[in-house]
Amino acid sequence: MGGGRPDRLRHHHRRRRGHQHRPRQAPGSTVAVIGCGGVGLSVIQGARISGARTILAVDPLAAKHELALKVGATHAVTPDDLPGALQELTGGAGFDYGFEVVGKSATIQSAWQLTRQGGDVIVVGAGAMDDMVQISAFSLLFEGKNLLSSLYGEADVRHDFPYFAELYKAGQLDLDSMISARIKLTDLNEAVAALRSGEALRQIVLID
């Protein structure tokens, strides 16, 4: 699922074998996910499994919206349509959770702006060391938002992977839709090019 549990969403709000992940996403929450690649789709599925009421998928490539809706998003827009979606879905107040799954300062700031006062902004995308995020000291104090990071969703392989397998077998976790192609070793160059262009989500190498 794109290198473990990338989003602190497979983060779903749960207690299991004494293991708990943050943020504690309550059922009925509103969630915005910026970036609909393989990791972003995993975040969307985690939000759905957690019982989110509204899940907004944001990606500049409209071609990715259909799959985002299929795996659990309730709405999907391009960045240009964000102001209207924010007003329509939250009355302008913002989302309870804003996930950034791109790894760019601009999209981190967008996630901040999309999240309501007191909400959680979760950075999932791996950014560059010299790509600085600017948030005013005023906003940090008076908007009361929580700026969090999620590295591989803080997954515990021993506990979480069996749980994901249970979700998959129960039909709650859609992994099949995230496989763009099954390829051979001789197709690796083309597969890498497809990833860079954004045409592919996950490609499985078959060994004869």
Side-chain angles (χ1 to χ4, degrees):
M1 185 161 316
R5 176 165 119 210
D7 37 287
R8 186 168 288 184
L9 228 139
R10 268 170 280 181
H11 69 229
H12 29 306
H13 177 34
R14 62 181 175 84
R15 286 185 180 274
R16 187 172 177 275
R17 302 178 188 174
H19 188 62
Q20 185 178 27
H21 294 280
R22 295 179 303 132
R24 301 178 181 179
Q25 186 186 348
S29 299
T30 57
V31 177
V33 181
I34 300 179
C36 295
V39 178
L41 293 177
S42 298
V43 175
I44 289 170
Q45 294 210 56
R48 169 178 54 78
I49 292 169
S50 299
R53 169 171 51 89
T54 300
I55 305 171
L56 175 66
V58 184
D59 199 283
L61 297 178
K64 292 186 176 182
H65 294 176
E66 181 178 355
L67 184 53
L69 293 167
K70 180 180 179 182
V71 301
T74 58
H75 304 77
V77 298
T78 64
D80 291 341
D81 294 327
L82 268 179
L86 180 64
Q87 183 62 40
E88 176 186 350
L89 301 177
T90 72
F95 294 84
D96 298 321
Y97 301 89
F99 285 85
E100 191 280 343
V101 202
V102 179
K104 300 289 186 181
S105 60
T107 45
I108 292 173
Q109 288 175 298
S110 294
W112 179 274
Q113 294 163 359
L114 282 173
T115 304
R116 65 168 174 80
Q117 290 190 7
D120 288 343
V121 182
I122 304 94
V123 178
V124 181
M129 292 183 64
D130 60 351
D131 189 12
M132 309 303 290
V133 179
Q134 294 186 354
I135 299 173
S136 73
F138 182 91
S139 294
L140 284 172
L141 177 61
F142 288 101
E143 293 185 20
K145 300 177 185 179
N146 303 303
L147 182 58
L148 308 170
S149 65
S150 177
L151 184 61
Y152 292 102
E154 298 184 356
D156 184 322
V157 173
R158 295 168 300 172
H159 296 135
D160 295 327
F161 281 26
Y163 180 67
F164 299 153
E166 293 172 8
L167 290 175
Y168 174 73
K169 289 189 291 185
Q172 298 181 49
L173 187 59
D174 184 358
L175 301 181
D176 297 321
S177 294
M178 296 172 64
I179 300 173
S180 301
R182 292 172 171 81
I183 65 172
K184 298 180 179 180
L185 283 174
T186 53
D187 300 323
L188 281 180
N189 289 338
E190 292 81 1
V192 172
L195 285 174
R196 288 176 175 169
S197 68
E199 297 174 3
L201 292 173
R202 293 294 179 264
Q203 301 172 88
I204 295 178
V205 179
L206 302 177
I207 307 297
D208 292 332

